[in-house]
Amino acid sequence: MEKDLLYLGPDCILAIRNAIFSYSLSHDSFTVGTIADLTGYSTTTVAKYFNSMKEQGTFVIMPGEESHKKGRKSVAYTIKFNPYYFIGVDVLHSGLVFGLMNMNGMMVRTDTFGDKVIALDNSFPDTASKAVKEYVDSLPDIKSDNIYGISFNIRGAVAGDAADKITEILGIPSSVGSSTNAMAYCEYNTCNPKDANVLYVNFSRGLGL
């Protein structure tokens, strides 16, 4: 298993992994061929990754659809979503609020730390990364490999490359955005207004639109 993954290389692994998760968010199952088409890697290369994930128990084999070859069925897979999570970090003036959400969109837990205050200056990527690492280390039975993405909601502005720096430090895809934009997006998806527009007004220490 480890030999196969070393053979594939980190860029290949990341591309295949991202394609699988992205596709799985809107489809019940996937095949080696599907992911090969999405990534441009050969079916042999993708199959090596699949075999490693099967050994780890991450992928579950499902009954496949009939393939074009007579008498043969393709093998379809689905993901055990439980081991994978997203982390949302609300960066407040008075501390940090962490939210842990599983891949099914269910909140697993929220934790508030009034003693952790992060300044929105050039030190933000380093201090934010340190805070996340400490939080993940405190979670029982969850490792950084189980975290699929991190989103920071801030009240203010930081350097435009902050998200890239955090991603580089933690090795986990990260984003940084304003709290108003994040809340507006959540309201839009919750209300599901179809073709309607949404205006979200955030009254805080200032006025956010």
Side-chain angles (χ1 to χ4, degrees):
M1 177 181 66
E2 293 180 356
K3 185 176 180 180
D4 281 347
L5 292 181
L6 287 173
Y7 164 78
L8 295 179
D11 291 339
C12 176
I13 291 172
L14 183 61
I16 295 173
R17 179 175 179 264
N18 287 345
I20 290 169
F21 277 108
S22 298
Y23 188 83
S24 297
L25 291 175
S26 56
H27 298 80
D28 293 331
S29 62
F30 51 88
T31 66
V32 170
T34 302
I35 304 305
D37 290 341
L38 290 173
T39 60
Y41 288 103
S42 69
T43 55
T44 301
T45 298
V46 175
K48 286 182 178 292
Y49 182 86
F50 274 46
N51 289 334
S52 296
M53 294 301 100
K54 282 191 296 181
E55 290 180 26
Q56 293 179 24
T58 303
F59 289 175
V60 180
I61 298 177
M62 297 180 66
E65 300 292 335
E66 290 284 354
S67 71
H68 296 296
K69 294 183 179 180
K70 185 177 179 180
R72 184 177 179 181
K73 290 185 177 182
S74 61
V75 178
Y77 301 84
T78 188
I79 297 177
K80 283 185 178 180
F81 278 127
N82 289 338
Y84 296 95
Y85 304 89
F86 292 100
I87 290 179
V89 187
D90 202 5
V91 182
L92 306 172
H93 298 294
S94 56
L96 300 177
V97 179
F98 288 85
L100 185 69
M101 183 178 72
N102 65 22
M103 292 290 289
N104 292 324
M106 302 294 292
M107 290 301 300
V108 177
R109 60 185 290 168
T110 57
D111 298 279
T112 301
F113 299 92
D115 60 333
K116 295 183 183 295
V117 178
I118 296 179
L120 301 182
D121 54 22
N122 291 335
S123 67
F124 179 79
D126 291 323
T127 53
S129 299
K130 180 181 177 182
V132 169
K133 187 178 186 306
E134 290 175 350
Y135 179 68
V136 173
D137 289 344
S138 73
L139 297 173
D141 303 322
I142 296 178
K143 300 179 180 179
S144 60
D145 290 342
N146 300 118
I147 307 302
Y148 184 65
I150 304 168
S151 176
F152 293 86
N153 299 323
I154 63 174
R155 287 154 174 75
V158 294
D161 61 349
D164 293 335
K165 289 182 177 179
I166 294 172
T167 298
E168 182 179 355
I169 293 170
L170 295 175
I172 302 171
S174 303
S175 64
V176 178
S178 75
S179 56
T180 301
N181 289 345
M183 289 184 281
Y185 181 75
C186 290
E187 289 293 337
Y188 182 87
N189 280 278
T190 301
C191 298
N192 193 22
K194 303 295 183 183
D195 296 327
N197 295 317
V198 171
L199 173 62
Y200 187 89
V201 183
N202 181 18
F203 293 93
S204 184
R205 294 192 175 187
L207 183 64
L209 298 174

